[in-house]
Amino acid sequence: ALIESNQGGKYIYQVVNRNTGKPIKNATINIYNLKSKYVDSRNLKTNRDGFATFKSKKASYYVEISVSYKYEIVTFGNRAFN
């Protein structure tokens, strides 16, 4: 599962096991701006507590977020950060 929040332009993501709620270390979070791959498109890696963060001063719409870990990938489409 992906948990997300925004605190003043700092985007905080946590990846947890959807069955146990335990954090997942070393998961990859890919954030892709569907309008422009050069604007706020990034790859993040979670830390030992399952967290990954980045800062952005721009609002982005039409964003796709995917999370991969080992052989599993889940995609969340048409999200916005503002």
Side-chain angles (χ1 to χ4, degrees):
L2 179 67
I3 301 163
E4 61 182 316
S5 66
N6 176 0
Q7 296 176 358
K10 180 178 181 183
Y11 297 89
I12 303 166
Y13 297 93
Q14 186 181 31
V15 179
V16 297
N17 181 296
R18 66 180 173 257
N19 296 316
T20 65
K22 291 183 180 179
I24 296 177
K25 176 183 175 181
N26 291 325
T28 300
I29 301 171
N30 177 270
I31 301 167
Y32 186 76
N33 186 313
L34 298 172
K35 285 204 168 207
S36 172
K37 65 182 179 180
Y38 303 108
V39 179
D40 280 330
S41 293
R42 7 185 127 233
N43 289 306
L44 308 170
K45 196 67 107 165
T46 59
N47 66 16
R48 66 185 180 124
D49 297 317
F51 284 99
T53 63
F54 76 95
K55 288 186 178 187
S56 178
K57 294 181 181 179
K58 301 176 191 174
S60 295
Y61 301 93
Y62 306 108
V63 173
E64 181 179 271
I65 299 174
S66 64
V67 177
S68 59
Y69 180 70
K70 295 187 178 178
Y71 302 107
E72 295 184 56
I73 298 174
V74 63
T75 301
F76 307 91
N78 264 344
R79 307 201 44 102
F81 24 99
N82 46 21

